[in-house]
Amino acid sequence: MKILIVDDDSICLDILSSALTADGHEVVAVTDGVEALDKLVNEEFRIVISDWMMPNLDGLDLCRHIRTMVDGLKGYVYIVLLTSRNTPEDIAEGLKAGADDFLVKPFQPIELQLRVKAAERVVAMETQHLTIFALAKLAESRDPETGFHLERIREYSRLIAQHLANQP
């Protein structure tokens, strides 16, 4: 999977790139948030690992921009904030900005690889959802009754899942 890494520290970029490449990922590295936004508009990335503190556009602002670019992106972008800041207030601020996960510096390459695997699972769920939706629409185009049946089943499933989620 192609991963965008963003950090103004060249040593950190090298460590990130080496660990991710060793795990079989294609890595594109940039040194600030502005350059990262440009890459996101012009290329497809589903995972972004960004430093929090950078010049020009920091990691929090990058998260906010990515979350407002929904129509300009080709799917959900999973964001991991890489930071030395790890107080509960910092974590809340990062999540509020749109980060999905945190990795505290200094990090272990194995922890990075495991967090990326978790990100891949989240991204894969979206892909599976789209595939199922496309198949349902194909069935609906062939037979309207089947399509209506699938819509009802989808709604029933959503209601059941919502009910189960609210159980203590």
Side-chain angles (χ1 to χ4, degrees):
M1 179 170 285
K2 193 168 158 183
I3 300 173
L4 178 63
I5 56 175
V6 190
D7 200 317
D8 60 329
D9 180 352
S10 61
I11 294 171
C12 191
L13 279 179
D14 288 343
I15 293 168
L16 284 166
S17 185
S18 294
L20 293 169
T21 303
D23 206 28
H25 299 286
E26 179 183 348
V27 176
V28 174
V30 296
T31 57
D32 68 53
V34 175
E35 193 177 356
L37 287 175
D38 184 55
K39 290 284 185 188
L40 283 165
V41 169
N42 295 310
E43 298 178 46
E44 184 175 349
F45 295 95
R46 302 300 299 279
I47 300 173
V48 172
I49 300 171
S50 175
D51 186 23
W52 181 318
M53 296 168 39
M54 298 181 291
N56 299 325
L57 187 68
D58 68 16
L60 290 183
D61 287 333
L62 177 60
C63 288
R64 290 183 190 105
H65 277 83
I66 291 171
R67 294 299 175 231
T68 61
M69 296 172 56
V70 176
D71 292 335
L73 302 175
K74 296 172 178 71
Y76 186 77
V77 175
Y78 191 95
I79 304 169
V80 178
L81 266 181
L82 183 62
T83 181
S84 57
R85 302 173 68 162
N86 64 351
T87 67
E89 295 80 17
D90 291 332
I91 293 169
E93 187 177 2
L95 291 171
K96 187 176 178 183
D100 295 293
D101 199 357
F102 288 85
L103 189 58
V104 178
K105 291 180 182 179
F107 62 89
Q108 296 296 316
I110 187 68
E111 183 182 5
L112 170 68
Q113 292 167 347
L114 292 171
R115 289 184 186 275
V116 168
K117 287 194 186 329
E120 289 175 322
R121 286 193 299 271
V122 170
V123 169
M125 283 190 277
E126 180 190 32
T127 304
Q128 292 168 353
H129 174 74
L130 292 173
T131 301
I132 292 168
F133 184 74
L135 289 171
K137 287 299 177 185
L138 177 63
E140 180 181 351
S141 71
R142 304 256 186 213
D143 177 16
E145 286 300 315
T146 301
F148 294 135
H149 171 72
L150 292 172
E151 291 293 327
R152 287 190 303 273
I153 294 298
R154 181 180 69 139
E155 183 61 17
Y156 293 147
S157 299
R158 186 188 66 76
L159 290 170
I160 291 169
Q162 188 175 34
H163 175 74
L164 291 173
N166 293 328
Q167 294 298 309

